[in-house]
Amino acid sequence: MNIDRLKELCLIPGISSREEKIREKIIQNLNPRKYYVDKIGNLVIRKGTGNKKILLMAHMDEIGFLITSIKENGNLILRKVGGIPDEIIQSRYIEIVTNEKIIQGVIGAVPPHLKKDNVSFELVGNVGLNTKEDVLNIGINIMDYAVFKKNFINIGNYISCRALDDRFGCFVLEEVYKNSSPKNEVIFAWTVQEEIGLKGAKALSNELSEIDLAIAIDSFACCSRQNQHIKPGDGPVIRFADNSGISSFYYSKKIVELAKKNNIPIQLGTTGGGTDGSIFVDKGTPFVALSVAVKFLHSTVEMIHINDLENLIKLLKIISEEEL
């Protein structure tokens, strides 16, 4: 398992609707003979033949900010894209992504010395310039975007980085695509705009027909009162219920049986949020959400256990090669 490849994917910026850099890297990494990119940016590659069609999905987009205006004093007015908790925003380094380059910046904070004067926090970025004209002259424009500056580190048996949600899923799909010999027809899809309402999956569900099973590879937030039994390092998680849908009982049981047969640890849990897979139920397609437990989800220090990542790759490889 090439952790450097996962690092590479995590460090690429790409908020919802701006996934082009991640998509280009995945195509470069896999160099597939045939693939297509649909009108909104979903990347689709097919592999194998068989009686059943299995769709494996992971989303490319991450949470971040759109630049919606530039103030006369040079500050960038930012709009949140995706579910960013307010408490993680202040006092952060950011990267502003323009058409030509990446520019370093910050989101500031109100010093305690000024709070007594009722100075309040404003969600703006600062790139060290004091006029709108200077900001425009370095190439920053409205509709550019920003992401939190990322640091990819190993902590014991864990990996920590912003955007592990869902770049770990993108990485897992790459590994399964490269190392499996499917007995089914497996459709690998790297989707867009998941963080703002599963938009890419909705488009994909209209494009793909006669799918027998849709599997979404995405994060599992741990650990709340409803899922305290989920332990990072104890195996992948079947996310059998969340706010968007309920995984197929039939296929969940099948996957548990396959995991046990192949000595792969697996866990079952419920959480909030939603995954791309749930969209396919409206089209008459059963789905299963497969995850790994993520500590501090939607923060700048997301963490996953390396063993869970390895076991998820093994499990998906087996699923693609079995007659479900």
Side-chain angles (χ1 to χ4, degrees):
M1 187 173 69
N2 188 346
I3 295 297
D4 286 339
R5 183 63 55 82
L6 173 59
K7 177 180 179 179
E8 182 180 55
L9 290 175
C10 284
L11 296 182
I12 298 171
I15 64 169
S16 303
S17 84
R18 296 299 309 274
E19 300 91 349
E20 65 274 6
K21 294 180 185 295
I22 303 97
R23 183 174 58 246
E24 289 165 6
K25 178 55 66 174
I26 292 167
I27 293 169
Q28 178 186 326
N29 288 346
L30 298 180
N31 192 27
R33 285 194 305 116
K34 288 185 178 181
Y35 67 90
Y36 77 88
V37 177
D38 69 13
K39 292 179 181 179
I40 65 166
N42 294 312
L43 169 64
V44 180
I45 310 175
R46 296 173 183 262
K47 186 174 185 179
T49 59
N51 294 327
K52 289 200 172 184
K53 292 183 179 180
I54 298 175
L55 172 64
L56 302 181
M57 294 176 288
H59 68 88
M60 297 181 284
D61 56 318
E62 63 180 296
I63 57 176
F65 305 92
L66 274 174
I67 297 171
T68 62
S69 185
I70 302 171
K71 302 181 77 170
E72 291 301 324
N73 66 1
N75 282 340
L76 313 174
I77 296 180
L78 304 176
R79 177 191 176 101
K80 291 196 289 184
V81 175
I84 305 177
D86 288 338
E87 59 268 24
I88 75 163
I89 292 176
Q90 297 189 39
S91 189
R92 295 290 181 186
Y93 295 107
I94 57 173
E95 294 184 329
I96 295 92
V97 184
T98 74
N99 288 335
E100 304 296 332
K101 55 189 172 182
I102 293 176
I103 297 169
Q104 304 301 311
V106 300
I107 297 174
V110 178
H113 317 67
L114 301 182
K115 288 182 178 178
K116 64 182 179 181
D117 296 329
N118 296 319
V119 176
S120 58
F121 172 73
E122 183 181 12
L123 181 50
V124 296
N126 187 285
V127 292
L129 299 172
N130 297 320
T131 69
K132 180 178 180 178
E133 182 181 5
D134 286 343
V135 170
L136 292 171
N137 284 339
I138 66 167
I140 296 176
N141 289 286
I142 293 171
M143 291 183 62
D144 288 336
Y145 69 94
V147 298
F148 293 111
K149 191 172 179 63
K150 302 168 190 174
N151 189 21
F152 188 100
I153 62 173
N154 289 87
I155 305 176
N157 292 318
Y158 288 86
I159 296 164
S160 177
C161 190
R162 163 89 284 285
L164 279 169
D165 172 26
D166 189 26
R167 303 294 167 72
F168 89 82
C170 295
F171 169 75
V172 164
L173 286 196
E174 281 192 3
E175 291 294 295
V176 176
Y177 176 82
K178 289 186 298 183
N179 298 304
S180 62
S181 300
K183 293 180 181 177
N184 304 287
E185 181 180 357
V186 181
I187 301 164
F188 295 83
W190 290 263
T191 63
V192 298
Q193 299 188 40
E194 189 272 351
E195 296 289 4
I196 57 171
L198 317 179
K199 304 294 188 183
K202 290 176 183 176
L204 200 62
S205 71
N206 293 322
E207 298 166 14
L208 299 176
S209 61
E210 300 178 354
I211 301 297
D212 294 289
L213 174 63
I215 298 178
I217 296 94
D218 207 342
S219 304
F220 185 93
C222 75
C223 297
S224 70
R225 285 178 294 178
Q226 66 178 317
N227 59 44
Q228 287 183 352
H229 64 287
I230 300 297
K231 306 295 183 186
D234 283 0
V237 182
I238 293 180
R239 180 173 163 160
F240 70 83
D242 59 29
N243 296 343
S244 67
I246 300 175
S247 291
S248 162
F249 179 77
Y250 173 80
Y251 281 109
S252 293
K253 294 288 282 185
K254 282 272 193 181
I255 290 170
V256 169
E257 290 169 7
L258 280 176
K260 289 182 177 179
K261 178 182 174 182
N262 290 276
N263 297 314
I264 297 173
I266 194 162
Q267 306 181 80
L268 301 168
T270 64
T271 187
T275 70
D276 283 339
S278 63
I279 296 300
F280 283 79
V281 173
D282 294 340
K283 303 295 182 180
T285 301
F287 88 97
V288 174
L290 268 177
S291 306
V292 298
V294 181
K295 292 184 176 183
F296 319 125
L297 186 63
H298 277 220
S299 77
T300 59
V301 291
E302 293 174 338
M303 291 175 65
I304 61 173
H305 199 287
I306 293 174
N307 290 350
D308 291 341
L309 197 61
E310 291 176 336
N311 281 313
L312 179 57
I313 292 167
K314 290 177 186 176
L315 180 58
L316 285 167
K317 182 175 180 290
I318 290 166
I319 290 170
S320 74
E321 294 177 343
E322 288 282 340
E323 296 288 347
L324 290 179

